Amino acid sequence: MGGGPEAVRETHATGQRSLRAWQRRGRDQNLLQALRHRRRLRTGIVQALYLIGGTTLGVLLPEVDAGPTIERTTVTPMLFGAAGGFISFIALVFSLLFLVIQYGNTSVSPRLTIFRDDPMVWHTFGFFTAVFAYCLVAGMITGTGDDTVTILVPAVAITLLVASLAMSRAIQLRALRLLQFNSIMEEVRTRGQEVITSLYKTAFHSDAADQAGPPTAWELRWQRPTTLLLQVDLPRLLSLATEMDVLIELRAVPGQEVRRGLVLAVVRADHPVTECDILGALTTGSDRAFAQDPLLAFRLLNDISNRALSISINDPATCVQVLGCIYDLLAQVADKQLQLGTITDESGVARVRLPFPSWEDFLVVGVDEVAHYSTHDPTVHARVELLLQDLLAIAPPERHAPLRERLDRLLATPTVPRA
């Protein structure tokens, strides 16, 4: 063994660079998987498909000649009666929808759209519509023609009825679950955890920002009404940047506001760029969604906490439960690498940069608002103090400073009960 200390240090440095490159490649693959375009459920298309399916089945099944048969005079009244009864099943979906949405808006948060966006709600509505269409169309067809019809017609109707009862029970239980604070908080925490674990899988090594890169060659300004960025199709952005040999730098991440006239993205390159189809990789809308937004769960939990501490409700126990959920989410990012900004292509060239939330951003949205209102209740004040102490115990030393600053500020602020 030769080469001396210098060779050993050089070998160690090379190994560290190789390890970081390997970790970066694995991290980029995770991000490409997490930040891909996900089609939102289009309720109109879903309902149309169910309606077409039910109608088609109602037209074709009475024409089947094989197998046992049953008199049409027996089947037709049953089918029309079932069709009329399914109007109440369809009304049930909308009744539960209005109930849960109104409750969520007034008692929890106007940003809570879990039940409204639940695919189960709209698939149930579509299924009930399909059963109604089947019974109505099959009843009309069996009312004319021969004296008998295949027994499959009433058998399928009974099967669909039993399935509808099961789906009706499931959607009612789902609605009742979302009318309870504990269930709502657990649902929000679970959704937030899914987003966080999909984005942040690399252990912490540095909070340093990435280098700026090549000079700015082109800017994209948002020229539409102010809205929210919901999704980023990272594979499409990466493919576009690689094809044009540029670095695309977004100025917003999912969950952030996109304002008219301001720069949304910057294209950096060593050569002139006249146009770049970045908007095709972005999805915007008016309601924040969990899909790629790691801060939405904190926002919803803060809404629940603020209402619980309001003068009209004054429920500090709920706020203490909320802080438990907030701690659980913060603990999952405390030791993770949050600066994931630069994504490279297969050759290791920087192609896409995203401004992911920093450790300070997580603390601002997760702690500061609750800490501000905790000065009116000693129980909540003590729970915020415990949350900060617990984070100090698990966070890397490089992230202690903002935690100690908040803890010192909290301890210096006495609790003042409301008059």
Side-chain angles (χ1 to χ4, degrees):
M1 297 179 63
E6 292 295 333
V8 173
R9 283 194 292 269
E10 179 62 27
T11 301
H12 177 73
T14 302
Q16 290 296 314
R17 287 193 295 270
S18 299
L19 176 61
R20 285 194 293 270
W22 178 81
Q23 290 175 336
R24 179 179 288 274
R25 286 195 296 272
R27 184 210 67 188
D28 289 353
Q29 290 300 318
N30 292 333
L31 288 177
L32 289 171
Q33 180 68 20
L35 298 181
R36 68 185 190 279
H37 178 65
R38 294 176 174 83
R39 292 186 178 274
R40 301 188 68 182
L41 181 68
R42 298 187 178 184
T43 57
I45 296 178
V46 170
Q47 294 166 19
L49 291 176
Y50 274 109
L51 184 61
I52 293 172
T55 303
T56 303
L57 189 63
V59 170
L60 298 179
L61 201 56
E63 303 300 327
V64 176
D65 295 331
T69 60
I70 188 173
E71 292 185 1
R72 291 178 182 266
T73 55
T74 303
V75 176
T76 302
M78 184 198 77
L79 292 173
F80 281 131
F86 266 94
I87 297 296
S88 61
F89 278 84
I90 296 173
L92 172 67
V93 177
F94 280 102
S95 299
L96 292 175
L97 195 61
F98 293 147
L99 172 65
V100 175
I101 289 178
Q102 182 181 16
Y103 173 79
N105 284 342
T106 56
S107 301
V108 183
S109 169
R111 284 161 285 278
L112 185 67
T113 60
I114 293 176
F115 191 71
R116 186 202 69 186
D117 296 337
D118 194 336
M120 176 184 178
V121 174
W122 301 109
H123 281 292
T124 301
F125 177 80
F127 184 79
F128 289 169
T129 305
V131 177
F132 167 77
Y134 167 76
C135 292
L136 183 63
V137 173
M140 294 173 62
I141 293 179
T142 56
T144 60
D146 299 333
D147 294 335
T148 60
V149 67
T150 176
I151 200 171
L152 290 176
V153 173
V156 169
I158 293 173
T159 303
L160 293 176
L161 175 61
V162 173
S164 299
L165 291 173
M167 296 182 71
S168 173
R169 178 180 181 275
I171 195 173
Q172 289 181 67
L173 292 177
R174 175 69 171 157
L176 290 174
R177 175 177 170 80
L178 292 178
L179 291 176
Q180 303 174 38
F181 265 108
N182 289 342
S183 298
I184 292 174
M185 286 188 287
E186 179 62 22
E187 184 87 20
V188 172
R189 187 200 64 80
T190 302
R191 295 286 189 91
Q193 176 180 310
E194 291 173 355
V195 180
I196 287 173
T197 54
S198 68
L199 288 175
Y200 306 109
K201 297 184 178 182
T202 307
F204 170 80
H205 59 79
S206 172
D207 279 330
D210 295 327
Q211 299 294 327
T216 300
W218 187 72
E219 289 184 344
L220 171 64
R221 293 183 179 271
W222 185 255
Q223 301 298 344
R224 303 175 186 176
T226 299
T227 185
L228 295 172
L229 180 61
L230 301 184
Q231 292 189 47
V232 174
D233 191 352
L234 184 56
R236 182 169 178 175
L237 276 181
L238 181 60
S239 175
L240 178 64
T242 304
E243 180 182 344
M244 298 184 65
D245 190 23
V246 298
L247 170 62
I248 298 176
E249 183 178 299
L250 289 185
R251 296 294 174 87
V253 289
Q256 291 184 345
E257 204 174 47
V258 181
R259 296 185 289 277
R260 186 192 292 271
L262 298 185
V263 176
L264 174 59
V266 171
V267 176
R268 298 183 178 275
D270 295 323
H271 54 84
V273 177
T274 57
E275 188 177 358
C276 187
D277 184 24
I278 298 175
L279 292 180
L282 307 179
T283 303
T284 59
S286 57
D287 294 321
R288 293 176 70 172
F290 279 101
Q292 299 180 4
D293 188 350
L295 299 181
L296 176 56
F298 294 98
R299 178 64 269 160
L300 293 173
L301 291 171
N302 270 290
D303 288 344
I304 298 174
S305 173
N306 293 342
R307 290 173 186 266
L309 290 178
S310 65
I311 298 177
S312 59
I313 298 178
N314 193 23
D315 181 15
T318 295
C319 186
V320 170
Q321 288 182 280
V322 169
L323 285 168
C325 295
I326 290 176
Y327 167 77
D328 189 70
L329 294 176
L330 287 175
Q332 295 181 63
V333 297
D335 60 346
K336 294 296 188 295
Q337 180 63 24
L338 302 180
Q339 290 295 335
L340 307 176
T342 302
I343 293 87
T344 61
D345 60 14
E346 295 180 354
S347 303
V349 180
R351 293 303 183 190
V352 180
R353 183 172 297 155
L354 304 175
F356 285 94
S358 64
W359 177 236
E360 178 68 19
D361 295 329
F362 277 100
L363 292 180
V364 167
V365 73
V367 178
D368 289 359
E369 197 167 325
V370 183
H372 173 74
Y373 292 110
S374 71
T375 57
H376 297 298
D377 190 276
T379 305
V380 179
H381 193 271
R383 185 63 183 86
V384 176
E385 178 183 346
L386 180 61
L387 181 147
L388 292 172
Q389 291 174 344
D390 289 343
L391 289 176
L392 279 169
I394 64 174
E398 294 86 348
R399 291 179 173 168
H400 283 190
L403 292 171
R404 292 192 182 280
E405 177 185 346
R406 286 169 170 80
L407 183 58
D408 292 342
R409 187 166 61 241
L410 184 72
L411 295 175
T413 305
T415 56
V416 181
R418 291 190 178 96

